[in-house]
Amino acid sequence: MRVYLAGPDVFLPDAEARGAALKSICAQHGLTGVFPLDSLPDEPPAWADLPQCRRIALCNEAHIRGCHALIANLTPFRGPSADAGTVFELGFMRALGRPVFAWSNTEIPFTARTLDAISATRAPDGTWRDGEGLLIEEFGCTDNLMIDGAVFASGGTLVTRAVPMERRWTDLEAFAVCVAGAARVLRV
Amino acid sequence: MRVYLAGPDVFLPDAEARGAALKSICAQHGLTGVFPLDSLPDEPPAWADLPQCRRIALCNEAHIRGCHALIANLTPFRGPSADAGTVFELGFMRALGRPVFAWSNTEIPFTARTLDAISATRAPDGTWRDGEGLLIEEFGCTDNLMIDGAVFASGGTLVTRAVPMERRWTDLEAFAVCVAGAARVLRV
């Protein structure tokens, strides 16, 4: 079973080594990890002429279509939410109807992270509002409700773990628990 | 032709009126706008028993499946990127193979917005890196490359406009241009 490893891990200084570490954990659970930086075996030759960013996007979409499931690193990225590319890919796989799993190296809920990041006030109706009056979600979710909703509706699992900030891009314990759960759901 | 109107517009204090304004512009171009807060005509009765956030997520997914195209408001939301729910939905529709369109009330590229939001340094290899060493994308895109890539690969268009901060959640000129472009692509 092939699982697509979505996450901002591709931005790490040692991205290739990170990909290898993630794949190694997948292999321990009988899964084949597919990292976004992997070359696409059957890449159409015409894509070589595209701008690099367009080519990467098409390759990643093809990688996702070629996998049975997706595991997303939702660790907050430059704001209260997960990395935008990761969230895009999670939505993409969800639409294909295959299981999506997720892990995050924080246990702080989305609402609390948002309140930490921006100034907010309680409106007379009891809702939290940001400085421009926009609502702050308060559902006890790990991230935007579409993300949590997709994981659970797909039959996936969501693993969170309190990891100190300085280790949040290295610690792989939540990932390993998530992979073990995925292997169970996928009956590997 | 039905178009799903993804965006953080649902969080605005006057979300219902906002949805009506967006739909009115769609109607002027022969399109039927579907706003995430719209009730789902054929909602399965069992969903009424779900937690509210799960029910909303499933309703929005069903709305997207019921539309011919999606128009996303990518105006940066509480960080350098677009709202996570919007990005999820854009990925979802992209996987369905239907056109995705986008608009944003800023013309500042993603790289510059990220550099504005976080501390970064030029690494010896010439790449921009954040304080934790993670790469900052530098492709001239409007947001993460998966987002721009999906819009263009799907045959959609991406409209950006320089709007003063205080009007970025009210100004609908970029949206109107985006809808007009969608109507052309969809041959309404």
Side-chain angles (χ1 to χ4, degrees):
Chain A
M1 290 281 220
R2 292 160 56 83
V3 291
Y4 183 81
L5 304 170
D9 309 76
V10 293
F11 301 130
L12 286 166
D14 57 345
E16 295 284 354
R18 173 70 160 200
L22 298 176
K23 288 180 187 186
S24 170
I25 292 170
C26 289
Q28 290 165 27
H29 295 274
L31 295 169
T32 302
V34 174
F35 197 59
L37 301 182
D38 290 352
S39 62
L40 190 69
D42 50 356
E43 184 183 327
W47 291 5
D49 298 331
L50 291 173
Q52 192 189 1
C53 57
R54 301 271 180 276
R55 187 181 159 215
I56 294 170
L58 289 175
C59 283
N60 288 354
E61 290 185 354
H63 274 314
I64 298 170
R65 287 188 187 278
C67 285
H68 301 91
L70 177 145
I71 297 178
N73 178 356
L74 297 183
T75 304
F77 183 76
R78 300 174 188 163
S81 277
D83 163 55
T86 305
V87 173
F88 175 94
E89 294 177 338
L90 195 149
F92 193 100
M93 187 60 114
R94 169 64 179 149
L96 299 183
R98 303 173 199 164
V100 289
F101 302 82
W103 61 287
S104 175
N105 274 345
T106 182
E107 282 185 335
I108 303 170
F110 184 43
T111 305
R113 293 202 309 274
T114 304
L115 294 174
D116 277 350
I118 61 172
S119 64
T121 49
R122 279 273 185 204
D125 66 359
T127 58
W128 280 110
R129 297 274 166 180
D130 69 17
E132 295 171 304
L134 277 75
L135 183 76
I136 294 170
E137 280 189 24
E138 208 172 353
F139 291 113
C141 286
T142 293
D143 207 312
N144 179 285
L145 63 81
M146 295 305 296
I147 297 173
D148 290 55
V151 170
F152 292 113
S154 79
T157 47
L158 207 165
V159 178
T160 62
R161 188 162 176 267
V163 173
M165 279 296 274
E166 65 274 17
R167 289 200 288 112
R168 66 182 182 142
W169 299 120
T170 52
D171 192 298
L172 289 176
E173 198 166 314
F175 174 72
V177 173
C178 190
V179 172
R184 278 193 300 275
V185 170
L186 298 170
R187 297 171 188 275
V188 175
Chain B
M1 290 280 218
R2 292 160 58 82
V3 290
Y4 183 81
L5 303 170
D9 309 75
V10 294
F11 300 129
L12 285 166
D14 56 346
E16 295 283 355
R18 173 70 160 200
L22 298 176
K23 288 180 187 184
S24 169
I25 292 171
C26 289
Q28 289 164 29
H29 295 275
L31 295 169
T32 302
V34 174
F35 197 59
L37 300 181
D38 291 351
S39 62
L40 190 69
D42 50 355
E43 185 183 328
W47 291 6
D49 298 330
L50 292 172
Q52 191 189 2
C53 57
R54 301 271 180 276
R55 186 181 159 216
I56 294 170
L58 289 176
C59 282
N60 288 353
E61 290 184 353
H63 274 315
I64 298 170
R65 288 188 187 277
C67 285
H68 301 90
L70 176 144
I71 296 178
N73 179 356
L74 297 184
T75 304
F77 183 76
R78 299 174 188 162
S81 278
D83 162 56
T86 304
V87 173
F88 174 95
E89 295 177 338
L90 196 148
F92 192 101
M93 187 60 112
R94 169 63 180 151
L96 299 182
R98 303 173 201 165
V100 289
F101 302 84
W103 60 289
S104 175
N105 274 345
T106 182
E107 282 185 334
I108 303 170
F110 184 43
T111 305
R113 293 202 309 274
T114 304
L115 293 175
D116 277 351
I118 61 172
S119 64
T121 50
R122 278 273 186 204
D125 67 358
T127 58
W128 280 110
R129 297 276 167 178
D130 70 17
E132 294 169 307
L134 277 75
L135 183 75
I136 295 170
E137 280 189 26
E138 209 172 352
F139 291 115
C141 286
T142 294
D143 207 313
N144 180 285
L145 62 82
M146 296 305 296
I147 297 173
D148 289 55
V151 171
F152 292 114
S154 78
T157 48
L158 206 165
V159 178
T160 62
R161 187 162 176 266
V163 172
M165 280 295 275
E166 65 273 17
R167 289 200 287 113
R168 67 183 182 140
W169 299 120
T170 52
D171 192 297
L172 289 176
E173 198 166 313
F175 174 72
V177 173
C178 190
V179 172
R184 279 194 300 276
V185 170
L186 299 169
R187 298 174 187 274
V188 175

